[in-house]
Amino acid sequence: MFRVIECIVGQHDLRLVLLAALVWLLGSAALFLLLKRSIDCVEARRRQWLAIAAVAAGVGVWATHFISMLAYEGSMPMHFDPALTALSVAIAIIAFWAAFLAAGRHFSILRCHAAGVLAALGVSAMHFTGMQAIVAPAVIRVDMPAVIVAFLLLAACFVTAFILFGRLRDPVRIALPALFALLGVVILHYTAMSATILAPDPSRGIGTADASDGWLVVAITVATVGLIVCVLVGAFLDRMVTDLRGFADATLEGIAILSGGRIIEANGQLARLLGVEAATLVGSDPGRWFTTADGLAIPSLRGEPAEATLTGSGDDGQIVEIAAHAVEYRGKACQVLAVRDLTARKRAELQVEHLAAHDALTGLPNRMRFTAVLDNLVRSGESFALLALDLDRFKAVNDIFGHAAGDAILCRVAALLRAAVDEKDLVARIGGDEFLILQRNIASDADAQALVRRLFADFAAEMDITRDPMAVGVSIGVALFPTDADCGERLRHNADVALYRAKERGRGTACFFDLEMDRQVRERRELEHDLRHAITRGQLSLLFQPLVATEGGTIVGYEALLRWAHPRRGSVPPEVFVPIAEDVGAIIPIGEWVLHQACRAAMQWPEHVSVAVNVSAVQFQLPNLAAVVEEALRRSGLAAGRLEIEITESVMLRDRAEALATMYRLKALGVRIVMDDFGTGYSSLSNLQAFPFDKIKIDRSFVSHVTDDESARSIIRAIVGLGRSLDLPVVAEGVETEEQRRMVLEEGCPQAQGFLFGAPAAAIVGAPRFLRVVGE
Ligand code: C2E
Ligand code: CA
Ligand code: CA
């Protein structure tokens, strides 16, 4: 230790020693500043900075070593071999480079040790190579143990410096490691110097004390310090520039700065958006890259953002939004363009629009879209057909096989419809199993008929009801524009009317709209509505038509016949309103009312006179019909034996077992049951045998032809024969003439009914009239 201090103080120019120390302090500070800079960088740039740091450190440590050598005031004249001196610099640079690489990005303890040892090895090698460059008339001898200790101390200092650098924060992060590096180098240099003995040896040539030593010191110091300062300034500027660029690149928008209508700067986003290098953009006219939606030149944009497309990107190309602002850039008044890519947003908007206008399941246009297209077509005035489609059996498929199967069927139907129509036509799904087709540009209704045929054929081919239990059929209603309506709403309504009619006719049919159809449908709707209030409004009444013994004309009973006095339409015939009442269920309260009224009326008649009441098949389906009848009898006090219930064969078409049960319940009350309108329906013998009828009424259509049509007469004869064999009396209804009376009497009908004996008339009070029988 003492030897070392003695060496520094006694054998060196202290001012130069201080200078040497300062140079290395600067060099090591630069080293750690550059290391710090390198850590912040991407990998490629980090290696560049490490190389620069290695140069700064290598040159710095070498300059320190060299100035220290020149500070040596030994008695021996010496100078330096240039090649070895240069080699010593190179060694230092390379060693630092290797050390920095060894330290890595994270300065782990292990890596700091490797880096410290490498740096120490480099500095030592640099030192001793430098020593070898001395040309002096002496032999150089080294005290190895001292040098090894110095090396170990140097390594320890470097390891400590790297570890501190890796762990500390600014500003000590630079200062402390730099001080340790300084300490290490000073220790090494002067320990090594004191451990080096130059033994004079005149045979080794003459070293001349160099007169230019002073200049050399200045030159080396200035060059080294200059180099290090340059490197530091470079690092600082680079940081500023890259940071600014990073700032510009940090935004999601493309940015271009315009001066004189040309791009002078552009960020990475813009270059990427346009698919070119940023350098390509510089100097170009922005009009070359963008086309504004309203055709404005880009440099003239102010304030409000404008939409534009990328030039040459075609129709479905990228859409951008450009906002322009005035800025000051590099001391000049410039314009900055912020370019935002709207493509994704526009696509999303289009998708939302599509979703709003289409059915999610089948992808077909929905009601909203359909209505818009329909209104447009109506406005354009072209001739087109509107087809309203409704699937047959769909509800059953959905109920039986589940909703997934139902959905699959709807998709199949959608595909089928789409394939059946022309490209220009529109298929829409507007509800559960309801579809609409707009067949455009039709020349006549023949075009629509052709489409209907095609649809039925496609359905038959695709949906085979006989083999596929999930197959569905279709009913179609067609209305034509402008023939059938003058507006879209009316046309839709009329297509629906036609569809309704098609379904009424039987499934799997098509119907074209006509005005008569419309009138009927409207009338029916109105009647349906009015019927529901007919009882409470007192519009219903009963007429009674006598039933007579054919032979003597004695009245044996009356048939109650319902009448509806409509406030506007007058008397509505039961043939019109009874089926409607059956359809809408109004027949149930009405039928009950009829029963009560008829029984009440009959209570006014002589006891042997019966009353016949028509009961609809719908009423017969009700399990409580017998109870209703019983209640009517109870309330009126009428003997059950005086009541006849008239039913038609349609009763037996529904649930036979249930019908039979009801019939037996009625019979158990003591009520008689008449088969009405026999001969018109299914007229099967089995019905007569299976059901406990008390009487058969031959339909009036046979009676009216009995005089001129031999076959009508033979049918009557057959029915009477049948009745006789089953022990059922047969009534002939609709007897209008004496001739008819005579004939039905001849054929064996004991009772008859008809205008000849009396038309239906208002309630008969008291004893019934005895009719004069014509011809008697
Ligand atoms: P229906 O049971 O066959 O009734 C006999 C119909 O023949 C009555 O017509 C009657 O006015 C008519 N008629 C009677 N004599 C003659 C005749 O000599 N010549 C001709 N051409 N016709 C004659 P109405 O009253 O118009 O009744 C029609 C149908 O309405 C009835 O046919 C019956 O099926 C149904 N109906 C009437 N009232 C009721 C009711 O209260 N309930 C139910 N469910 N149906 C009823
Ligand atoms: Ca009847
Ligand atoms: Ca009848």
Side-chain angles (χ1 to χ4, degrees):
M1 187 68 186
F2 175 75
R3 213 169 79 191
V4 174
I5 294 170
E6 209 279 328
C7 165
I8 297 172
V9 179
Q11 299 168 12
H12 285 77
D13 178 342
L14 272 180
R15 286 167 309 167
L16 285 186
V17 169
L18 209 64
L19 180 66
L22 277 176
V23 166
W24 177 231
L25 192 62
L26 189 65
S28 56
L31 180 169
F32 287 106
L33 276 170
L34 291 168
L35 269 188
K36 180 170 160 252
R37 176 83 191 92
S38 76
I39 290 173
D40 301 337
C41 292
V42 293
E43 189 56 29
R45 210 173 264 273
R46 185 176 83 94
R47 285 169 180 271
Q48 288 168 13
W49 282 120
L50 290 184
I52 292 167
V55 170
V59 170
V61 83
W62 173 81
T64 306
H65 159 80
F66 206 80
I67 295 166
S68 301
M69 294 286 271
L70 294 176
Y72 181 68
E73 290 171 332
S75 50
M76 208 170 295
M78 58 173 124
H79 66 265
F80 302 92
D81 175 74
L84 278 174
T85 306
L87 179 65
S88 68
V89 187
I91 287 171
I93 293 173
I94 289 167
F96 274 116
W97 163 245
F100 297 158
L101 286 182
R105 235 177 219 281
H106 304 294
F107 291 85
S108 65
I109 300 284
L110 196 71
R111 280 174 165 273
C112 283
H113 280 81
V117 170
L118 277 171
L121 275 175
V123 172
S124 308
M126 183 274 300
H127 181 92
F128 288 103
T129 312
M131 296 291 281
Q132 289 304 313
I134 294 173
V135 181
V139 178
I140 298 172
R141 258 193 269 123
V142 179
D143 174 8
M144 267 325 270
V147 167
I148 288 172
V149 170
F151 166 77
L152 289 176
L153 286 171
L154 172 65
C157 283
F158 270 131
V159 169
T160 312
F162 283 128
I163 289 176
L164 288 177
F165 174 77
R167 308 277 168 301
L168 294 176
R169 309 217 151 266
D170 289 337
V172 283
R173 181 181 195 183
I174 307 298
L176 265 185
L179 282 175
F180 270 94
L182 173 68
L183 184 67
V185 168
V186 167
I187 288 171
L188 177 91
H189 186 86
Y190 293 102
T191 309
M193 285 304 278
S194 64
T196 303
I197 299 140
L198 293 179
D201 181 0
S203 67
R204 288 186 73 93
I206 292 132
T208 45
D210 208 321
S212 64
D213 264 8
W215 286 109
L216 206 56
V217 171
V218 174
I220 288 170
T221 308
V222 167
T224 306
V225 170
L227 172 78
I228 292 168
V229 168
C230 279
V231 164
L232 288 176
V233 169
F236 178 72
L237 286 182
D238 169 81
R239 168 157 217 145
M240 286 242 318
V241 172
T242 41
D243 282 359
L244 278 178
R245 181 161 294 281
F247 196 62
D249 282 339
T251 154
L252 292 174
E253 295 176 336
I255 290 178
I257 293 170
L258 263 58
S259 177
R262 305 219 153 243
I263 296 175
I264 56 168
E265 188 79 77
N267 72 349
Q269 265 73 348
L270 186 63
R272 229 162 293 136
L273 186 66
L274 298 174
V276 293
E277 291 287 317
T280 320
L281 294 173
V282 174
S284 66
D285 176 350
R288 193 185 137 195
W289 310 104
F290 305 106
T291 314
T292 53
D294 43 15
L296 282 179
I298 286 174
S300 66
L301 296 177
R302 293 277 178 280
E304 284 290 290
E307 247 176 51
T309 48
L310 300 194
T311 306
S313 64
D315 269 355
D316 52 345
Q318 278 178 288
I319 304 154
V320 293
E321 182 188 65
I322 303 181
H325 304 284
V327 290
E328 191 190 308
Y329 184 73
R330 290 183 193 155
K332 281 190 286 188
C334 294
Q335 200 180 15
V336 60
L337 298 183
V339 182
R340 188 183 307 167
D341 187 357
L342 292 186
T343 315
R345 204 174 83 193
K346 285 275 162 188
R347 294 233 168 91
E349 274 173 21
L350 284 178
Q351 202 183 355
V352 167
E353 258 171 49
H354 180 90
L355 284 178
H358 290 78
D359 163 43
L361 175 65
T362 60
L364 290 177
N366 61 12
R367 183 190 300 268
M368 188 187 99
R369 169 114 184 91
F370 171 84
T371 311
V373 174
L374 176 64
D375 289 347
N376 271 340
L377 275 183
V378 166
R379 264 195 296 278
S380 79
E382 87 174 45
S383 299
F384 62 92
L386 171 56
L387 286 75
L389 295 89
D390 192 286
L391 301 184
D392 304 332
R393 279 172 33 87
F394 177 74
K395 201 181 152 342
V397 168
N398 214 28
D399 288 350
I400 296 167
F401 298 101
H403 290 289
D407 286 356
I409 285 286
L410 290 173
C411 289
R412 264 169 78 190
V413 169
L416 185 156
L417 298 181
R418 235 187 316 227
V421 303
D422 248 32
E423 190 104 307
K424 59 183 184 348
D425 300 341
L426 181 91
V427 181
R429 177 175 173 232
I430 54 153
D433 61 344
E434 293 168 62
F435 295 85
L436 291 173
I437 296 177
L438 280 175
Q439 187 190 21
R440 300 187 49 189
N441 273 322
I442 55 164
S444 71
D445 59 349
D447 287 343
Q449 271 157 4
L451 175 58
V452 165
R453 274 197 300 274
R454 203 154 65 230
L455 287 171
F456 280 134
D458 290 355
F459 259 87
E462 171 76 12
M463 306 266 180
D464 186 350
I465 299 178
T466 55
R467 272 185 300 159
D468 180 359
M470 295 209 302
V472 293
V474 66
S475 301
I476 307 176
V478 188
L480 306 174
F481 183 86
T483 324
D484 293 336
D486 55 2
C487 72
E489 204 176 316
R490 190 105 286 263
L491 190 70
R492 273 231 36 207
H493 172 264
N494 292 349
D496 277 348
V497 165
L499 174 62
Y500 180 83
R501 180 52 58 90
K503 289 209 283 195
E504 231 177 28
R505 276 195 199 158
R507 321 225 127 196
T509 56
C511 218
F512 278 65
F513 174 82
D514 63 47
L515 283 174
E516 171 58 18
M517 195 182 282
D518 183 44
R519 199 191 53 71
Q520 287 172 3
V521 168
R522 279 160 178 283
E523 193 174 289
R524 188 186 158 109
R525 296 252 161 85
E526 213 176 274
L527 286 178
E528 280 175 7
H529 173 261
D530 294 346
L531 249 185
R532 294 180 206 274
H533 309 288
I535 300 180
T536 51
R537 290 178 184 165
Q539 295 166 353
L540 296 182
S541 63
L542 289 181
L543 294 186
F544 296 92
Q545 185 180 31
L547 175 71
V548 303
T550 323
E551 183 82 73
T554 336
I555 292 179
V556 294
Y558 288 94
E559 180 179 0
L561 293 163
L562 185 58
R563 292 292 176 267
W564 180 19
H566 191 279
R568 215 157 24 77
R569 295 169 191 273
S571 178
V572 182
E575 263 110 348
V576 172
F577 75 81
V578 167
I580 299 175
E582 286 175 335
D583 274 0
V584 300
I587 194 69
I588 290 162
I590 291 176
E592 207 173 319
W593 180 87
V594 169
L595 271 166
H596 281 273
Q597 295 297 313
C599 291
R600 272 229 315 263
M603 281 302 286
Q604 313 292 319
W605 309 335
E607 271 180 23
H608 68 276
V609 177
S610 62
V611 61
V613 174
N614 295 288
V615 168
S616 147
V618 175
Q619 282 172 278
F620 224 82
Q621 291 293 297
L622 295 178
N624 72 339
L625 180 66
V628 169
V629 170
E630 195 179 5
E631 172 71 6
L633 292 170
R634 194 188 58 75
R635 282 234 226 137
S636 60
L638 189 73
R642 290 178 63 193
L643 178 62
E644 287 179 348
I645 299 283
E646 295 194 1
I647 55 173
T648 58
E649 274 179 304
S650 59
V651 165
M652 285 146 277
L653 282 181
R654 305 209 180 179
D655 189 338
R656 284 177 78 89
E658 186 60 38
L660 199 59
T662 303
M663 244 186 226
Y664 276 114
R665 278 196 289 270
L666 288 173
K667 287 205 64 117
L669 293 175
V671 172
R672 276 170 295 153
I673 299 174
V674 181
M675 158 142 290
D676 203 354
D677 298 344
F678 194 72
T680 52
Y682 303 85
S683 304
S684 79
L685 177 61
S686 67
N687 281 342
L688 284 182
Q689 284 172 326
F691 292 85
F693 287 107
D694 296 285
K695 208 195 284 193
I696 304 172
K697 239 185 191 182
I698 301 177
D699 191 68
R700 63 177 179 270
S701 55
F702 301 107
V703 177
S704 61
H705 292 112
V706 73
T707 49
D708 49 12
D709 184 343
E710 190 49 41
S711 73
R713 194 171 174 158
S714 47
I715 288 171
I716 293 176
R717 194 173 303 142
I719 294 173
V720 171
L722 206 61
R724 199 168 291 138
S725 70
L726 292 168
D727 203 14
L728 297 175
V730 175
V731 187
E733 69 171 4
V735 179
E736 294 178 352
T737 62
E738 175 52 28
E739 202 183 355
Q740 288 167 352
R741 184 193 71 90
R742 205 173 28 80
M743 279 196 164
V744 297
L745 183 64
E746 273 169 25
E747 292 306 335
C749 295
Q751 293 180 350
Q753 200 180 345
F755 293 163
L756 179 69
F757 313 106
I764 294 114
V765 184
R769 289 177 293 148
F770 284 87
L771 293 158
R772 189 184 61 86
V773 177
V774 183
E776 257 186 16

